[in-house]
Amino acid sequence: MIHQWATDRGFCNTVLTLYELANGDDTVGQEFYNLDPATLRRSLEVLQSQGRAQLFVGSSDDDTGVKIFP
């Protein structure tokens, strides 16, 4: 669902923070809006293992970034 959202909204190949994904204006109404950061991170790790995303580790979940590939 996150990958589809990024594709539909034109966010592929753009680095987004986990905070932006879970709390951003662009994600209001999405199933992952207000999702627990640890759960969101695990979901993105699955996308990364599939070669569909790259995580960029920050000092906290809020400033960890992700780039989603088309």
Side-chain angles (χ1 to χ4, degrees), residues 3-39:
H3 188 272
Q4 188 63 50
W5 170 84
T7 301
D8 291 347
R9 298 289 178 131
F11 285 111
C12 286
N13 293 316
T14 301
V15 177
L16 301 165
T17 64
L18 270 62
Y19 180 84
E20 289 174 308
L21 284 174
N23 303 293
D25 292 339
D26 292 315
T27 60
V28 172
Q30 299 298 314
E31 291 181 34
F32 52 91
Y33 185 74
N34 278 332
L35 190 63
D36 172 66
T39 304

PDB file of all heavy atoms in Angstrom, residues 3-39:
ATOM      1  N   HIS A   3       3.938   1.514  -1.257  1.00  0.00           N
ATOM      2  CA  HIS A   3       4.540   1.596  -2.585  1.00  0.00           C
ATOM      3  C   HIS A   3       3.521   2.118  -3.594  1.00  0.00           C
ATOM      4  O   HIS A   3       3.846   2.982  -4.418  1.00  0.00           O
ATOM      5  CB  HIS A   3       5.077   0.231  -3.020  1.00  0.00           C
ATOM      6  CG  HIS A   3       5.854   0.291  -4.276  1.00  0.00           C
ATOM      7  ND1 HIS A   3       5.249   0.161  -5.511  1.00  0.00           N
ATOM      8  CD2 HIS A   3       7.176   0.493  -4.502  1.00  0.00           C
ATOM      9  CE1 HIS A   3       6.177   0.278  -6.445  1.00  0.00           C
ATOM     10  NE2 HIS A   3       7.351   0.480  -5.861  1.00  0.00           N
ATOM     11  N   GLN A   4       2.325   1.624  -3.552  1.00  0.00           N
ATOM     12  CA  GLN A   4       1.277   2.081  -4.475  1.00  0.00           C
ATOM     13  C   GLN A   4       0.971   3.558  -4.265  1.00  0.00           C
ATOM     14  O   GLN A   4       0.815   4.314  -5.226  1.00  0.00           O
ATOM     15  CB  GLN A   4       0.007   1.243  -4.307  1.00  0.00           C
ATOM     16  CG  GLN A   4      -1.035   1.533  -5.365  1.00  0.00           C
ATOM     17  CD  GLN A   4      -0.557   1.188  -6.754  1.00  0.00           C
ATOM     18  OE1 GLN A   4      -0.059   0.095  -6.996  1.00  0.00           O
ATOM     19  NE2 GLN A   4      -0.679   2.124  -7.678  1.00  0.00           N
ATOM     20  N   TRP A   5       0.883   3.986  -3.011  1.00  0.00           N
ATOM     21  CA  TRP A   5       0.636   5.395  -2.707  1.00  0.00           C
ATOM     22  C   TRP A   5       1.742   6.269  -3.296  1.00  0.00           C
ATOM     23  O   TRP A   5       1.465   7.286  -3.942  1.00  0.00           O
ATOM     24  CB  TRP A   5       0.544   5.592  -1.186  1.00  0.00           C
ATOM     25  CG  TRP A   5       0.531   7.028  -0.792  1.00  0.00           C
ATOM     26  CD1 TRP A   5      -0.552   7.862  -0.744  1.00  0.00           C
ATOM     27  CD2 TRP A   5       1.665   7.823  -0.429  1.00  0.00           C
ATOM     28  NE1 TRP A   5      -0.157   9.117  -0.377  1.00  0.00           N
ATOM     29  CE2 TRP A   5       1.196   9.114  -0.166  1.00  0.00           C
ATOM     30  CE3 TRP A   5       3.018   7.571  -0.291  1.00  0.00           C
ATOM     31  CZ2 TRP A   5       2.046  10.147   0.220  1.00  0.00           C
ATOM     32  CZ3 TRP A   5       3.867   8.595   0.091  1.00  0.00           C
ATOM     33  CH2 TRP A   5       3.383   9.869   0.349  1.00  0.00           C
ATOM     34  N   ALA A   6       3.004   5.885  -3.090  1.00  0.00           N
ATOM     35  CA  ALA A   6       4.140   6.671  -3.598  1.00  0.00           C
ATOM     36  C   ALA A   6       4.113   6.731  -5.117  1.00  0.00           C
ATOM     37  O   ALA A   6       4.383   7.782  -5.713  1.00  0.00           O
ATOM     38  CB  ALA A   6       5.451   6.073  -3.102  1.00  0.00           C
ATOM     39  N   THR A   7       3.773   5.620  -5.753  1.00  0.00           N
ATOM     40  CA  THR A   7       3.692   5.582  -7.212  1.00  0.00           C
ATOM     41  C   THR A   7       2.563   6.479  -7.714  1.00  0.00           C
ATOM     42  O   THR A   7       2.757   7.295  -8.622  1.00  0.00           O
ATOM     43  CB  THR A   7       3.476   4.135  -7.691  1.00  0.00           C
ATOM     44  OG1 THR A   7       4.566   3.331  -7.222  1.00  0.00           O
ATOM     45  CG2 THR A   7       3.399   4.046  -9.196  1.00  0.00           C
ATOM     46  N   ASP A   8       1.394   6.357  -7.108  1.00  0.00           N
ATOM     47  CA  ASP A   8       0.234   7.140  -7.525  1.00  0.00           C
ATOM     48  C   ASP A   8       0.438   8.639  -7.324  1.00  0.00           C
ATOM     49  O   ASP A   8      -0.043   9.449  -8.103  1.00  0.00           O
ATOM     50  CB  ASP A   8      -1.021   6.707  -6.764  1.00  0.00           C
ATOM     51  CG  ASP A   8      -1.489   5.319  -7.149  1.00  0.00           C
ATOM     52  OD1 ASP A   8      -1.010   4.761  -8.163  1.00  0.00           O
ATOM     53  OD2 ASP A   8      -2.341   4.772  -6.398  1.00  0.00           O
ATOM     54  N   ARG A   9       1.155   9.005  -6.264  1.00  0.00           N
ATOM     55  CA  ARG A   9       1.342  10.420  -5.915  1.00  0.00           C
ATOM     56  C   ARG A   9       2.609  11.036  -6.498  1.00  0.00           C
ATOM     57  O   ARG A   9       2.878  12.211  -6.274  1.00  0.00           O
ATOM     58  CB  ARG A   9       1.378  10.584  -4.387  1.00  0.00           C
ATOM     59  CG  ARG A   9       0.126  10.170  -3.669  1.00  0.00           C
ATOM     60  CD  ARG A   9      -0.990  11.167  -3.935  1.00  0.00           C
ATOM     61  NE  ARG A   9      -2.197  10.746  -3.273  1.00  0.00           N
ATOM     62  CZ  ARG A   9      -2.918  11.549  -2.527  1.00  0.00           C
ATOM     63  NH1 ARG A   9      -2.574  12.789  -2.345  1.00  0.00           N
ATOM     64  NH2 ARG A   9      -4.015  11.083  -1.971  1.00  0.00           N
ATOM     65  N   GLY A  10       3.400  10.253  -7.200  1.00  0.00           N
ATOM     66  CA  GLY A  10       4.610  10.789  -7.803  1.00  0.00           C
ATOM     67  C   GLY A  10       5.768  10.963  -6.834  1.00  0.00           C
ATOM     68  O   GLY A  10       6.639  11.803  -7.055  1.00  0.00           O
ATOM     69  N   PHE A  11       5.783  10.175  -5.765  1.00  0.00           N
ATOM     70  CA  PHE A  11       6.848  10.278  -4.768  1.00  0.00           C
ATOM     71  C   PHE A  11       7.961   9.250  -4.959  1.00  0.00           C
ATOM     72  O   PHE A  11       8.872   9.177  -4.133  1.00  0.00           O
ATOM     73  CB  PHE A  11       6.284  10.156  -3.347  1.00  0.00           C
ATOM     74  CG  PHE A  11       5.560  11.396  -2.894  1.00  0.00           C
ATOM     75  CD1 PHE A  11       4.195  11.393  -2.714  1.00  0.00           C
ATOM     76  CD2 PHE A  11       6.254  12.565  -2.650  1.00  0.00           C
ATOM     77  CE1 PHE A  11       3.524  12.525  -2.294  1.00  0.00           C
ATOM     78  CE2 PHE A  11       5.599  13.715  -2.231  1.00  0.00           C
ATOM     79  CZ  PHE A  11       4.221  13.695  -2.059  1.00  0.00           C
ATOM     80  N   CYS A  12       7.906   8.465  -6.028  1.00  0.00           N
ATOM     81  CA  CYS A  12       8.996   7.525  -6.281  1.00  0.00           C
ATOM     82  C   CYS A  12      10.274   8.305  -6.555  1.00  0.00           C
ATOM     83  O   CYS A  12      10.243   9.386  -7.153  1.00  0.00           O
ATOM     84  CB  CYS A  12       8.657   6.623  -7.461  1.00  0.00           C
ATOM     85  SG  CYS A  12       7.422   5.376  -7.064  1.00  0.00           S
ATOM     86  N   ASN A  13      11.386   7.758  -6.104  1.00  0.00           N
ATOM     87  CA  ASN A  13      12.710   8.365  -6.246  1.00  0.00           C
ATOM     88  C   ASN A  13      12.858   9.670  -5.474  1.00  0.00           C
ATOM     89  O   ASN A  13      13.741  10.465  -5.756  1.00  0.00           O
ATOM     90  CB  ASN A  13      13.079   8.566  -7.718  1.00  0.00           C
ATOM     91  CG  ASN A  13      13.255   7.246  -8.427  1.00  0.00           C
ATOM     92  OD1 ASN A  13      13.872   6.332  -7.903  1.00  0.00           O
ATOM     93  ND2 ASN A  13      12.692   7.136  -9.614  1.00  0.00           N
ATOM     94  N   THR A  14      11.983   9.898  -4.511  1.00  0.00           N
ATOM     95  CA  THR A  14      12.059  11.049  -3.619  1.00  0.00           C
ATOM     96  C   THR A  14      12.296  10.522  -2.213  1.00  0.00           C
ATOM     97  O   THR A  14      11.645   9.574  -1.792  1.00  0.00           O
ATOM     98  CB  THR A  14      10.733  11.846  -3.643  1.00  0.00           C
ATOM     99  OG1 THR A  14      10.476  12.268  -4.971  1.00  0.00           O
ATOM    100  CG2 THR A  14      10.781  13.034  -2.714  1.00  0.00           C
ATOM    101  N   VAL A  15      13.227  11.138  -1.488  1.00  0.00           N
ATOM    102  CA  VAL A  15      13.476  10.712  -0.110  1.00  0.00           C
ATOM    103  C   VAL A  15      12.441  11.371   0.798  1.00  0.00           C
ATOM    104  O   VAL A  15      12.278  12.591   0.790  1.00  0.00           O
ATOM    105  CB  VAL A  15      14.906  11.070   0.341  1.00  0.00           C
ATOM    106  CG1 VAL A  15      15.103  10.683   1.808  1.00  0.00           C
ATOM    107  CG2 VAL A  15      15.931  10.371  -0.536  1.00  0.00           C
ATOM    108  N   LEU A  16      11.745  10.538   1.538  1.00  0.00           N
ATOM    109  CA  LEU A  16      10.757  10.988   2.515  1.00  0.00           C
ATOM    110  C   LEU A  16      11.178  10.489   3.885  1.00  0.00           C
ATOM    111  O   LEU A  16      11.742   9.401   3.999  1.00  0.00           O
ATOM    112  CB  LEU A  16       9.375  10.421   2.191  1.00  0.00           C
ATOM    113  CG  LEU A  16       8.785  10.772   0.835  1.00  0.00           C
ATOM    114  CD1 LEU A  16       7.608   9.866   0.523  1.00  0.00           C
ATOM    115  CD2 LEU A  16       8.342  12.222   0.827  1.00  0.00           C
ATOM    116  N   THR A  17      10.887  11.243   4.913  1.00  0.00           N
ATOM    117  CA  THR A  17      11.166  10.755   6.263  1.00  0.00           C
ATOM    118  C   THR A  17      10.010   9.877   6.727  1.00  0.00           C
ATOM    119  O   THR A  17       8.885   9.992   6.216  1.00  0.00           O
ATOM    120  CB  THR A  17      11.348  11.913   7.270  1.00  0.00           C
ATOM    121  OG1 THR A  17      10.118  12.638   7.377  1.00  0.00           O
ATOM    122  CG2 THR A  17      12.483  12.830   6.852  1.00  0.00           C
ATOM    123  N   LEU A  18      10.285   9.026   7.692  1.00  0.00           N
ATOM    124  CA  LEU A  18       9.221   8.210   8.257  1.00  0.00           C
ATOM    125  C   LEU A  18       8.167   9.110   8.889  1.00  0.00           C
ATOM    126  O   LEU A  18       6.977   8.806   8.841  1.00  0.00           O
ATOM    127  CB  LEU A  18       9.784   7.222   9.278  1.00  0.00           C
ATOM    128  CG  LEU A  18      10.195   5.867   8.709  1.00  0.00           C
ATOM    129  CD1 LEU A  18      11.312   6.001   7.698  1.00  0.00           C
ATOM    130  CD2 LEU A  18      10.563   4.918   9.800  1.00  0.00           C
ATOM    131  N   TYR A  19       8.613  10.234   9.455  1.00  0.00           N
ATOM    132  CA  TYR A  19       7.663  11.184  10.035  1.00  0.00           C
ATOM    133  C   TYR A  19       6.705  11.701   8.960  1.00  0.00           C
ATOM    134  O   TYR A  19       5.496  11.766   9.183  1.00  0.00           O
ATOM    135  CB  TYR A  19       8.394  12.358  10.698  1.00  0.00           C
ATOM    136  CG  TYR A  19       7.438  13.341  11.299  1.00  0.00           C
ATOM    137  CD1 TYR A  19       6.911  13.134  12.572  1.00  0.00           C
ATOM    138  CD2 TYR A  19       7.018  14.472  10.591  1.00  0.00           C
ATOM    139  CE1 TYR A  19       6.003  14.018  13.124  1.00  0.00           C
ATOM    140  CE2 TYR A  19       6.112  15.358  11.128  1.00  0.00           C
ATOM    141  CZ  TYR A  19       5.609  15.128  12.391  1.00  0.00           C
ATOM    142  OH  TYR A  19       4.697  16.001  12.936  1.00  0.00           O
ATOM    143  N   GLU A  20       7.235  12.058   7.791  1.00  0.00           N
ATOM    144  CA  GLU A  20       6.385  12.546   6.702  1.00  0.00           C
ATOM    145  C   GLU A  20       5.376  11.484   6.275  1.00  0.00           C
ATOM    146  O   GLU A  20       4.213  11.806   5.993  1.00  0.00           O
ATOM    147  CB  GLU A  20       7.221  12.951   5.494  1.00  0.00           C
ATOM    148  CG  GLU A  20       8.021  14.217   5.692  1.00  0.00           C
ATOM    149  CD  GLU A  20       8.944  14.498   4.535  1.00  0.00           C
ATOM    150  OE1 GLU A  20       9.717  13.587   4.153  1.00  0.00           O
ATOM    151  OE2 GLU A  20       8.879  15.628   4.010  1.00  0.00           O
ATOM    152  N   LEU A  21       5.825  10.234   6.218  1.00  0.00           N
ATOM    153  CA  LEU A  21       4.910   9.159   5.821  1.00  0.00           C
ATOM    154  C   LEU A  21       3.810   8.938   6.846  1.00  0.00           C
ATOM    155  O   LEU A  21       2.654   8.722   6.495  1.00  0.00           O
ATOM    156  CB  LEU A  21       5.678   7.855   5.603  1.00  0.00           C
ATOM    157  CG  LEU A  21       6.460   7.764   4.309  1.00  0.00           C
ATOM    158  CD1 LEU A  21       7.282   6.477   4.293  1.00  0.00           C
ATOM    159  CD2 LEU A  21       5.534   7.805   3.106  1.00  0.00           C
ATOM    160  N   ALA A  22       4.159   8.981   8.107  1.00  0.00           N
ATOM    161  CA  ALA A  22       3.183   8.667   9.151  1.00  0.00           C
ATOM    162  C   ALA A  22       2.327   9.867   9.554  1.00  0.00           C
ATOM    163  O   ALA A  22       1.223   9.681  10.073  1.00  0.00           O
ATOM    164  CB  ALA A  22       3.888   8.116  10.385  1.00  0.00           C
ATOM    165  N   ASN A  23       2.828  11.085   9.322  1.00  0.00           N
ATOM    166  CA  ASN A  23       2.131  12.259   9.843  1.00  0.00           C
ATOM    167  C   ASN A  23       1.957  13.401   8.849  1.00  0.00           C
ATOM    168  O   ASN A  23       1.447  14.454   9.218  1.00  0.00           O
ATOM    169  CB  ASN A  23       2.885  12.801  11.065  1.00  0.00           C
ATOM    170  CG  ASN A  23       3.034  11.756  12.134  1.00  0.00           C
ATOM    171  OD1 ASN A  23       2.054  11.338  12.730  1.00  0.00           O
ATOM    172  ND2 ASN A  23       4.245  11.302  12.372  1.00  0.00           N
ATOM    173  N   GLY A  24       2.395  13.220   7.632  1.00  0.00           N
ATOM    174  CA  GLY A  24       2.359  14.306   6.656  1.00  0.00           C
ATOM    175  C   GLY A  24       0.975  14.580   6.092  1.00  0.00           C
ATOM    176  O   GLY A  24       0.093  13.720   6.105  1.00  0.00           O
ATOM    177  N   ASP A  25       0.814  15.788   5.582  1.00  0.00           N
ATOM    178  CA  ASP A  25      -0.462  16.181   4.980  1.00  0.00           C
ATOM    179  C   ASP A  25      -0.817  15.316   3.778  1.00  0.00           C
ATOM    180  O   ASP A  25      -1.994  15.086   3.502  1.00  0.00           O
ATOM    181  CB  ASP A  25      -0.403  17.649   4.541  1.00  0.00           C
ATOM    182  CG  ASP A  25      -0.316  18.620   5.706  1.00  0.00           C
ATOM    183  OD1 ASP A  25      -0.692  18.235   6.837  1.00  0.00           O
ATOM    184  OD2 ASP A  25       0.128  19.758   5.488  1.00  0.00           O
ATOM    185  N   ASP A  26       0.203  14.831   3.078  1.00  0.00           N
ATOM    186  CA  ASP A  26      -0.038  14.008   1.891  1.00  0.00           C
ATOM    187  C   ASP A  26      -0.534  12.610   2.221  1.00  0.00           C
ATOM    188  O   ASP A  26      -0.985  11.901   1.326  1.00  0.00           O
ATOM    189  CB  ASP A  26       1.236  13.898   1.056  1.00  0.00           C
ATOM    190  CG  ASP A  26       1.621  15.220   0.425  1.00  0.00           C
ATOM    191  OD1 ASP A  26       0.726  15.899  -0.114  1.00  0.00           O
ATOM    192  OD2 ASP A  26       2.813  15.565   0.476  1.00  0.00           O
ATOM    193  N   THR A  27      -0.419  12.195   3.470  1.00  0.00           N
ATOM    194  CA  THR A  27      -0.808  10.829   3.830  1.00  0.00           C
ATOM    195  C   THR A  27      -2.096  10.757   4.654  1.00  0.00           C
ATOM    196  O   THR A  27      -2.519   9.666   5.027  1.00  0.00           O
ATOM    197  CB  THR A  27       0.321  10.119   4.593  1.00  0.00           C
ATOM    198  OG1 THR A  27       0.613  10.835   5.793  1.00  0.00           O
ATOM    199  CG2 THR A  27       1.568  10.013   3.738  1.00  0.00           C
ATOM    200  N   VAL A  28      -2.708  11.901   4.916  1.00  0.00           N
ATOM    201  CA  VAL A  28      -3.971  11.902   5.667  1.00  0.00           C
ATOM    202  C   VAL A  28      -4.970  11.012   4.941  1.00  0.00           C
ATOM    203  O   VAL A  28      -5.135  11.092   3.727  1.00  0.00           O
ATOM    204  CB  VAL A  28      -4.530  13.332   5.808  1.00  0.00           C
ATOM    205  CG1 VAL A  28      -5.924  13.310   6.410  1.00  0.00           C
ATOM    206  CG2 VAL A  28      -3.591  14.186   6.656  1.00  0.00           C
ATOM    207  N   GLY A  29      -5.599  10.124   5.676  1.00  0.00           N
ATOM    208  CA  GLY A  29      -6.596   9.226   5.108  1.00  0.00           C
ATOM    209  C   GLY A  29      -6.026   7.908   4.603  1.00  0.00           C
ATOM    210  O   GLY A  29      -6.791   7.013   4.243  1.00  0.00           O
ATOM    211  N   GLN A  30      -4.686   7.787   4.563  1.00  0.00           N
ATOM    212  CA  GLN A  30      -4.074   6.528   4.146  1.00  0.00           C
ATOM    213  C   GLN A  30      -4.035   5.564   5.327  1.00  0.00           C
ATOM    214  O   GLN A  30      -4.032   5.975   6.484  1.00  0.00           O
ATOM    215  CB  GLN A  30      -2.648   6.772   3.634  1.00  0.00           C
ATOM    216  CG  GLN A  30      -2.575   7.682   2.442  1.00  0.00           C
ATOM    217  CD  GLN A  30      -3.308   7.115   1.247  1.00  0.00           C
ATOM    218  OE1 GLN A  30      -3.170   5.945   0.909  1.00  0.00           O
ATOM    219  NE2 GLN A  30      -4.118   7.953   0.616  1.00  0.00           N
ATOM    220  N   GLU A  31      -3.979   4.283   5.033  1.00  0.00           N
ATOM    221  CA  GLU A  31      -3.974   3.272   6.098  1.00  0.00           C
ATOM    222  C   GLU A  31      -2.745   3.384   6.989  1.00  0.00           C
ATOM    223  O   GLU A  31      -2.781   2.962   8.135  1.00  0.00           O
ATOM    224  CB  GLU A  31      -4.063   1.877   5.502  1.00  0.00           C
ATOM    225  CG  GLU A  31      -5.403   1.589   4.870  1.00  0.00           C
ATOM    226  CD  GLU A  31      -5.469   0.194   4.297  1.00  0.00           C
ATOM    227  OE1 GLU A  31      -4.853  -0.719   4.865  1.00  0.00           O
ATOM    228  OE2 GLU A  31      -6.150   0.022   3.282  1.00  0.00           O
ATOM    229  N   PHE A  32      -1.663   3.939   6.474  1.00  0.00           N
ATOM    230  CA  PHE A  32      -0.437   4.050   7.252  1.00  0.00           C
ATOM    231  C   PHE A  32      -0.304   5.402   7.960  1.00  0.00           C
ATOM    232  O   PHE A  32       0.680   5.663   8.630  1.00  0.00           O
ATOM    233  CB  PHE A  32       0.798   3.774   6.383  1.00  0.00           C
ATOM    234  CG  PHE A  32       0.861   4.575   5.117  1.00  0.00           C
ATOM    235  CD1 PHE A  32       1.497   5.792   5.082  1.00  0.00           C
ATOM    236  CD2 PHE A  32       0.279   4.080   3.959  1.00  0.00           C
ATOM    237  CE1 PHE A  32       1.560   6.531   3.909  1.00  0.00           C
ATOM    238  CE2 PHE A  32       0.344   4.805   2.775  1.00  0.00           C
ATOM    239  CZ  PHE A  32       0.980   6.038   2.755  1.00  0.00           C
ATOM    240  N   TYR A  33      -1.304   6.275   7.838  1.00  0.00           N
ATOM    241  CA  TYR A  33      -1.291   7.549   8.554  1.00  0.00           C
ATOM    242  C   TYR A  33      -1.382   7.279  10.059  1.00  0.00           C
ATOM    243  O   TYR A  33      -2.205   6.495  10.507  1.00  0.00           O
ATOM    244  CB  TYR A  33      -2.453   8.432   8.103  1.00  0.00           C
ATOM    245  CG  TYR A  33      -2.431   9.819   8.705  1.00  0.00           C
ATOM    246  CD1 TYR A  33      -1.515  10.760   8.253  1.00  0.00           C
ATOM    247  CD2 TYR A  33      -3.299  10.167   9.721  1.00  0.00           C
ATOM    248  CE1 TYR A  33      -1.478  12.028   8.806  1.00  0.00           C
ATOM    249  CE2 TYR A  33      -3.268  11.430  10.267  1.00  0.00           C
ATOM    250  CZ  TYR A  33      -2.353  12.360   9.809  1.00  0.00           C
ATOM    251  OH  TYR A  33      -2.310  13.619  10.360  1.00  0.00           O
ATOM    252  N   ASN A  34      -0.515   7.909  10.828  1.00  0.00           N
ATOM    253  CA  ASN A  34      -0.426   7.734  12.287  1.00  0.00           C
ATOM    254  C   ASN A  34      -0.001   6.324  12.690  1.00  0.00           C
ATOM    255  O   ASN A  34      -0.227   5.912  13.830  1.00  0.00           O
ATOM    256  CB  ASN A  34      -1.731   8.104  12.998  1.00  0.00           C
ATOM    257  CG  ASN A  34      -1.854   9.585  13.219  1.00  0.00           C
ATOM    258  OD1 ASN A  34      -0.864  10.297  13.345  1.00  0.00           O
ATOM    259  ND2 ASN A  34      -3.077  10.077  13.252  1.00  0.00           N
ATOM    260  N   LEU A  35       0.604   5.593  11.785  1.00  0.00           N
ATOM    261  CA  LEU A  35       1.087   4.246  12.094  1.00  0.00           C
ATOM    262  C   LEU A  35       2.266   4.336  13.052  1.00  0.00           C
ATOM    263  O   LEU A  35       3.100   5.244  12.947  1.00  0.00           O
ATOM    264  CB  LEU A  35       1.506   3.552  10.803  1.00  0.00           C
ATOM    265  CG  LEU A  35       1.827   2.063  10.869  1.00  0.00           C
ATOM    266  CD1 LEU A  35       0.578   1.265  11.275  1.00  0.00           C
ATOM    267  CD2 LEU A  35       2.330   1.580   9.518  1.00  0.00           C
ATOM    268  N   ASP A  36       2.337   3.405  13.959  1.00  0.00           N
ATOM    269  CA  ASP A  36       3.449   3.329  14.899  1.00  0.00           C
ATOM    270  C   ASP A  36       4.766   3.307  14.119  1.00  0.00           C
ATOM    271  O   ASP A  36       4.894   2.550  13.144  1.00  0.00           O
ATOM    272  CB  ASP A  36       3.296   2.048  15.731  1.00  0.00           C
ATOM    273  CG  ASP A  36       4.498   1.777  16.584  1.00  0.00           C
ATOM    274  OD1 ASP A  36       4.765   2.566  17.504  1.00  0.00           O
ATOM    275  OD2 ASP A  36       5.192   0.773  16.309  1.00  0.00           O
ATOM    276  N   PRO A  37       5.755   4.131  14.505  1.00  0.00           N
ATOM    277  CA  PRO A  37       7.020   4.204  13.756  1.00  0.00           C
ATOM    278  C   PRO A  37       7.721   2.858  13.587  1.00  0.00           C
ATOM    279  O   PRO A  37       8.274   2.582  12.521  1.00  0.00           O
ATOM    280  CB  PRO A  37       7.877   5.168  14.578  1.00  0.00           C
ATOM    281  CG  PRO A  37       6.902   6.007  15.322  1.00  0.00           C
ATOM    282  CD  PRO A  37       5.721   5.104  15.590  1.00  0.00           C
ATOM    283  N   ALA A  38       7.682   2.011  14.600  1.00  0.00           N
ATOM    284  CA  ALA A  38       8.347   0.710  14.492  1.00  0.00           C
ATOM    285  C   ALA A  38       7.653  -0.168  13.451  1.00  0.00           C
ATOM    286  O   ALA A  38       8.315  -0.870  12.677  1.00  0.00           O
ATOM    287  CB  ALA A  38       8.375   0.011  15.849  1.00  0.00           C
ATOM    288  N   THR A  39       6.350  -0.122  13.396  1.00  0.00           N
ATOM    289  CA  THR A  39       5.591  -0.896  12.417  1.00  0.00           C
ATOM    290  C   THR A  39       5.834  -0.362  11.009  1.00  0.00           C
ATOM    291  O   THR A  39       6.026  -1.134  10.061  1.00  0.00           O
ATOM    292  CB  THR A  39       4.088  -0.868  12.751  1.00  0.00           C
ATOM    293  OG1 THR A  39       3.906  -1.349  14.090  1.00  0.00           O
ATOM    294  CG2 THR A  39       3.284  -1.704  11.786  1.00  0.00           C
TER     295      THR A  39
END
